[in-house]
Amino acid sequence: MKKTSNSETKKLLKSLNPHQLAYCGMHLKEKDVKNGEYMLCVFHLLPGKGLNILQAACEVAAESSTGTNFLVKTETPFSRKMNALVYQLDLKHNLVWIAYPWRIFDRIGNVQNILTFIVGNVLGMKEVSALKLLDVWFSPTMLEQYDGPSYTLDDMRKYLGVYNRPILGTIIKPKMGLTASEYAEVCFDFWVGGGDFVKNDEPQANQDFCPYDKMVLYVKQAMDRAVKITGKKKVHSFNVSAPDYDSMIERCEMIRNAGFEHGSYAFLIDGITAGWMAVQTLRRKYPEVFIHFHRAAHGAFTRKENPFGFSVLVLSKFARLAGASGVHTGTAGVGKMAGSPEEDVVAANNILSLVGKGHFFSQSWARIPEKDRDFIEAVKEDYHHHVILEDDAWRGMKKCCPIISGGLNPTLLKKFIEVMGNVDFITTMGAGVHAHPKGTREGAKALVQACEAYQKGIDIHEYAKSHENKALEQAIEFFEKKKNKEIKTAESS
Ligand code: CAP
Ligand code: MG
Ligand code: MG
């Protein structure tokens, strides 16, 4: 636990005023902060003018738990017990660890409430010139209160009959501007080309040129046609983000009343712009539906150039806590979006398994004490069978699956799987399918063929040589030529 020498700590402690001292717990040991009463956070923190790191950290602990910028006369012995406590520092890397008594959080399992505390006002405080929440740890007793996912990737696999490979998906492009029937036609082409899963793009809503009810109706017809032709089940993820609760529920009910069978539709929610309450509403109201968390606007908090905010890992952990079945976790530098490989992969792996290694904490997503013998068995089962045992679901928070999109195309699938280290994710390629020189259907075929090549252990260039894999050959020609051209332009500029 120790990250600062005793002399350094002593010097810093002496600099604290009584107000700051009330939020300092540098005496605490690992066993104290892991006694089940605390949620633990680690922040990258640069102090504001005139403060040292411990002073600034205590000010953050105050503002993000019970306090304000002065010691108030209205404090009580109990309120002091609810103070968050700074318990560890790493002066070399400007890191601070803060323990939060989780009784201060809304007791009905409310993620929005936690985030308002720990990445709320504090991001605007003058006492810091940088503050980024890098990792968070939940005790088993705290996990007890949170829903976690209900309908998972494993359920979707069962519905689709797809195992041992990623779920192959797309986002319909152009992102906006197609009529409802044009939109549905593109879905049909992707599904008939062999794709499993189609999602609305994150801004899809009730636009006058693509009325929501028509989009739902035509997608259903397209899905029915595609299922009939291919003999394979298909899934569509509808964006149900809306201006208010009633309109969101109205969209959900419109989808459920359009005749889609259970498992063939998912609810997509723009979790950052629509908000955590919407995510948890969908999870609690529709436990039998895949809740698809799109993270548009996360860059404002997660980009590494931004000194304020939180990491992709933190966002993904809270998405699992809130009950998202899947959340976008980034393409680990392989695709178009900014994001570090290590960051995205750590996030993806942490929300998928029963025990995940974070940047600073190893999180067991068990709702029971980790010493429980059976829990250890459940973890072993989890690794071997990729599921939390059905009758053991109560023990652990179910998996939340990574959803990978941003700039991927069939030629990058193998590279991404190797970076991820497993195939337990949904990939949704937009341009990667619809920019194919021969259009969407061939783009879908190219994606399927790239996945087949991976599963057979054959290089895609080899695999594309056989005549039935023309779609893949054309995709390689197009996307690799484009990439080479980009490299050449970058080199010449
Ligand atoms: C991807 C996408 C996704 C972003 C989200 C887009 O389209 O539809 O919303 O990938 O990024 O709008 O860009 P392309 P992330 O496949 O055409 O890039 O998954 O990193 O949250
Ligand atoms: Mg300590
Ligand atoms: Mg999008």
Side-chain angles (χ1 to χ4, degrees):
M1 269 275 271
K2 200 166 277 312
K3 297 267 179 186
T4 44
S5 68
N6 284 337
S7 57
E8 283 165 330
T9 309
K10 279 205 187 88
K11 219 166 112 220
L12 289 166
L13 284 172
K14 277 210 195 88
S15 72
L16 299 184
N17 63 34
H19 163 59
Q20 291 157 351
L21 215 47
Y23 294 91
C24 179
M26 291 297 280
H27 59 289
L28 294 173
K29 299 278 172 286
E30 178 95 6
K31 63 174 177 44
D32 307 317
V33 294
K34 288 220 165 170
N35 69 356
E37 291 169 35
Y38 296 102
M39 179 186 83
L40 307 179
C41 288
V42 55
F43 293 88
H44 173 261
L45 183 155
L46 295 179
K49 226 160 43 31
L51 293 175
N52 67 41
I53 187 165
L54 184 55
Q55 290 168 330
C58 293
E59 295 291 349
V60 166
E63 181 61 44
S64 60
S65 63
T66 58
T68 175
N69 53 347
F70 283 99
L71 211 50
V72 292
K73 297 294 172 224
T74 42
E75 267 198 346
T76 67
F78 175 74
S79 76
R80 267 196 290 280
K81 279 209 179 78
M82 292 296 109
N83 289 3
L85 297 169
V86 179
Y87 69 91
Q88 191 174 302
L89 296 174
D90 176 339
L91 300 180
K92 187 160 163 263
H93 302 102
N94 295 303
L95 300 174
V96 301
W97 281 253
I98 301 181
Y100 290 84
W102 56 261
R103 287 181 63 190
I104 61 174
F105 304 137
D106 186 351
R107 62 185 307 168
I108 55 166
N110 176 351
V111 167
Q112 162 277 325
N113 180 256
I114 303 178
L115 293 171
T116 299
F117 272 108
I118 62 176
V119 282
N121 288 349
V122 287
L123 294 187
M125 286 175 81
K126 287 192 212 120
E127 287 79 357
V128 291
S129 60
L131 185 68
K132 190 157 230 178
L133 178 57
L134 301 179
D135 202 353
V136 61
W137 179 82
F138 310 107
S139 73
T141 40
M142 179 181 170
L143 283 184
E144 197 62 64
Q145 293 193 1
Y146 292 81
D147 305 306
S150 170
Y151 186 96
T152 71
L153 174 68
D154 295 327
D155 299 302
M156 188 182 286
R157 284 190 180 285
K158 255 187 238 155
Y159 175 72
L160 288 170
V162 167
Y163 297 93
N164 306 318
R165 68 167 172 82
I167 305 282
L168 301 180
T170 190
I171 305 125
I172 301 302
K173 301 287 180 178
K175 180 177 286 209
M176 197 44 59
L178 297 181
T179 62
S181 53
E182 290 165 343
Y183 177 91
E185 263 324 287
V186 181
C187 294
F188 173 76
D189 283 342
F190 179 74
W191 281 322
V192 166
D196 308 307
F197 177 96
V198 175
K199 71 178 271 288
N200 278 154
D201 219 330
E202 70 279 0
Q204 185 81 38
N206 186 25
Q207 282 84 2
D208 62 74
F209 46 79
C210 184
Y212 205 86
D213 55 345
K214 290 277 177 307
M215 185 264 294
V216 171
L217 177 69
Y218 295 155
V219 166
K220 174 72 174 64
Q221 291 167 0
M223 185 185 278
D224 290 348
R225 284 164 51 212
V227 167
K228 202 152 171 258
I229 293 168
T230 62
K232 294 260 181 3
K233 300 278 188 186
K234 304 293 178 185
V235 176
H236 188 282
S237 182
F238 290 94
N239 188 356
V240 295
S241 312
D244 58 80
Y245 171 87
D246 291 337
S247 330
M248 180 174 82
I249 300 305
E250 187 189 342
R251 290 177 180 173
C252 295
E253 291 306 316
M254 200 188 289
I255 295 153
R256 290 161 62 82
N257 298 329
F260 288 94
E261 68 175 2
H262 174 238
S264 68
Y265 63 90
F267 291 150
L268 184 149
I269 187 74
D270 295 329
I272 308 266
T273 50
W276 291 90
M277 196 166 87
V279 179
Q280 290 200 256
T281 298
L282 293 173
R283 163 64 184 81
R284 292 182 175 183
K285 203 167 167 63
Y286 302 107
E288 76 293 354
V289 181
F290 187 95
I291 308 300
H292 177 160
F293 186 123
H294 192 286
R295 58 180 191 166
H298 75 92
F301 301 98
T302 60
R303 286 189 72 140
K304 64 180 184 328
E305 309 92 305
N306 182 346
F308 295 95
F310 46 77
S311 65
V312 168
L313 173 65
V314 164
L315 171 61
S316 310
K317 282 185 169 182
F318 277 109
R320 182 173 186 175
L321 209 65
S325 310
V327 60
H328 286 242
T329 51
T331 56
V334 176
K336 74 183 179 189
M337 297 292 191
S340 79
E342 189 258 353
E343 169 76 49
D344 292 353
V345 173
V346 167
N349 289 332
N350 208 283
I351 56 173
L352 204 49
S353 43
L354 203 53
V355 179
K357 184 104 188 62
H359 301 317
F360 296 92
F361 299 119
S362 165
Q363 177 66 51
S364 88
W365 293 91
R367 305 171 199 253
I368 51 173
E370 291 173 19
K371 294 184 193 55
D372 180 300
R373 291 275 337 127
D374 299 350
F375 166 69
I376 295 163
E377 286 318 307
V379 172
K380 283 193 197 127
E381 288 297 340
D382 177 40
Y383 284 119
H384 296 308
H385 300 281
H386 293 292
V387 289
I388 292 173
L389 300 178
E390 280 314 307
D391 60 347
D392 277 317
W394 61 272
R395 285 177 189 283
M397 196 163 270
K398 288 186 175 182
K399 67 174 60 172
C400 171
C401 88
I403 300 171
I404 312 297
S405 57
L408 288 184
N409 67 63
T411 69
L412 299 172
L413 181 67
K414 175 171 182 286
K415 184 174 172 194
F416 186 76
I417 292 173
E418 283 162 356
V419 165
M420 262 295 277
N422 66 59
V423 292
D424 242 9
F425 58 88
I426 298 173
T427 177
T428 54
M429 296 182 191
V433 163
H434 309 295
H436 187 285
K438 297 281 182 215
T440 298
R441 200 173 300 204
E442 296 307 302
K445 281 185 194 161
L447 177 53
V448 171
Q449 289 160 13
C451 191
E452 283 167 0
Y454 170 75
Q455 288 180 288
K456 292 174 181 163
I458 303 171
D459 176 82
I460 52 168
H461 302 88
E462 210 36 53
Y463 198 65
K465 282 183 187 144
S466 40
H467 72 282
E468 70 270 19
N469 296 334
K470 205 114 195 74
L472 179 56
E473 186 190 38
Q474 290 155 350
I476 293 169
E477 162 66 19
F478 176 76
F479 288 109
E480 291 198 339
K481 187 176 71 185
K482 185 176 172 307
K483 186 178 73 180
N484 297 339
K485 212 166 85 211
E486 273 167 5
I487 294 170
K488 277 208 190 76
T489 340
E491 276 160 1
S492 58
S493 57

